[in-house]
Amino acid sequence: MTEYVSTTPGLFPLPDWAKDDLSDLKGHQKHDLIRGDESDDITAVYDEARETVLDAQLEAGLDLISEGQLRWDDMLAHPLAVNDAVDTQGIVRYYDNNNFYRDPVVTDELGFSGDVANELEKTVAYTDEAVQAVLPGPYTLADLATDEYYGDEEAFLAAIGEYLAGEVEEFPAHETLFLLEPSLVENAPEDGIHERASEALDTVANATDADVIVQPFYGSLEEKVYAHLLDADIDAVGFDFVTEQDGSLYNIQEYGATDDIALGLLNGQNTLLEEPEAIRDRAEWVFDKLPVSDFDTAYLTTNTETFYLPYSTFEAKLEALADAASLAEVTHA
């Protein structure tokens, strides 16, 4: 019987009060933000904001709790933006929307940072509930960056995989690791790079004993990309059923799936509030379309990160996710 687990891809919106406080502080301390070495005042705001989003998830009843990635001003580029081997340069549009990040230009050999591990340590110390780690996948992080050191696309992708694996090895105990890979959709790898992308995912996945979920979004994967993704040593592939239903279904019907599956059923960018019953029905609809629907675990989640949402809408979607997973469990009991 399939176990339904409510979770998110992380990257939450800041609580409104934290936005105001940080806007004032960062306006006076911009130099502190280059390497993630924020002042004590800024760190205190982020620490309190983290506890706020952790409480929101606990109160909603989510099965897996995310740190929230509130410090990730550069969004998925953040793990590179805080690395000493990286020079953050001009502003770049974040995929095809109105968000931007600083271009992380890799100018030297990537070494250990520990930035994400430090945030996870604070999360694990705050709650006894199962914790989910979140990172950009290696292909996405390489795609968002500029290489001025390794000199070769394959070598750079491998180096990013090794770098992320080194970060993961220092993570505190975590139940799952979500690797976010929107670039697999938005800027699909060319022939010959498919395999390298899967190998880089293997490198990261092998650095943890946790279940590893690869979550592409902003559409469905090209067939070759999906087929090679299934070769990676991962536990689940995620699907964006908000943006692209037909392509997502086709890939599963044609090529099969991992033993676990992540279903992006709530819109992480739109303020429309989905009802738990509707989310449960969407999951049922997906499974009814598949030749085999006996997955070990089905992760119910938003299709994208949620930092686009107003904070109150974000809280409401957490509750809907948790309730939907409970309804699905009852239906299949």
Side-chain angles (χ1 to χ4, degrees), residues 132-288:
Q132 174 170 287
V134 173
L135 280 174
Y139 180 77
T140 289
L141 191 56
D143 178 51
L144 294 175
T146 299
D147 172 34
E148 291 187 355
Y149 179 77
Y150 293 93
D152 174 83
E153 183 178 4
E154 293 188 14
F156 185 49
L157 180 56
I160 294 290
E162 293 288 350
Y163 166 59
L164 289 174
E167 300 298 305
V168 170
E169 287 173 354
E170 298 303 318
F171 283 3
H174 49 288
E175 186 80 11
T176 50
L177 170 62
F178 257 53
L179 296 175
L180 308 187
E181 284 280 21
S183 286
L184 287 177
V185 174
E186 287 287 312
N187 187 22
E190 298 177 355
D191 287 345
I193 302 298
H194 304 112
E195 297 94 333
R196 305 290 85 77
S198 291
E199 289 171 4
L201 283 168
D202 283 344
T203 299
V204 182
N206 290 331
T208 179
D209 293 329
D211 289 338
V212 177
I213 300 94
V214 175
Q215 182 84 4
F217 45 90
Y218 300 137
S220 60
L221 296 168
E222 294 179 1
E223 291 182 57
K224 279 188 177 181
V225 177
Y226 181 69
H228 282 291
L229 183 56
L230 291 181
D231 291 335
D233 187 18
I234 58 177
D235 298 280
V237 174
F239 299 87
D240 180 350
F241 279 103
V242 174
T243 305
E244 178 56 60
Q245 296 180 352
D246 292 342
S248 297
L249 285 174
Y250 173 82
N251 281 336
I252 305 172
Q253 292 166 343
E254 189 71 15
Y255 298 99
T258 45
D259 290 338
D260 300 336
I261 190 171
L263 304 176
L265 300 175
L266 283 79
N267 197 320
Q269 299 175 276
N270 192 294
T271 55
L272 175 69
L273 293 179
E274 301 92 342
E275 294 295 328
E277 293 81 5
I279 302 166
R280 186 270 316 274
D281 291 345
R282 290 177 191 177
E284 293 296 320
W285 180 86
V286 170
F287 289 146
D288 287 344

Side-chain angles (χ1 to χ4, degrees), residues 11 69-76 78-79 115-116 134-136:
L11 277 166
Q69 296 72 48
L70 301 178
R71 290 177 55 250
W72 292 24
D73 288 345
D74 296 293
M75 289 165 284
L76 290 178
H78 173 86
D115 182 87
V116 179
V134 173
L135 280 174

Side-chain angles (χ1 to χ4, degrees), residues 8 37 54 111 126 140 195 227 239 249 283 292 303-304 309-310:
T8 71
D37 54 349
L54 291 174
Y126 188 77
T140 289
E195 297 94 333
F239 299 87
L249 285 174
V292 177
N303 67 319
T304 68
L309 298 175

Side-chain angles (χ1 to χ4, degrees), residues 101-154:
Y101 67 101
R102 298 169 300 169
D103 182 18
V105 180
V106 179
T107 58
D108 202 348
E109 183 175 2
L110 291 167
F112 178 70
S113 163
D115 182 87
V116 179
N118 181 57
E119 300 300 304
L120 274 176
E121 290 282 1
K122 295 178 180 179
T123 300
V124 169
Y126 188 77
T127 177
D128 293 328
E129 298 299 319
V131 169
Q132 174 170 287
V134 173
L135 280 174
Y139 180 77
T140 289
L141 191 56
D143 178 51
L144 294 175
T146 299
D147 172 34
E148 291 187 355
Y149 179 77
Y150 293 93
D152 174 83
E153 183 178 4
E154 293 188 14

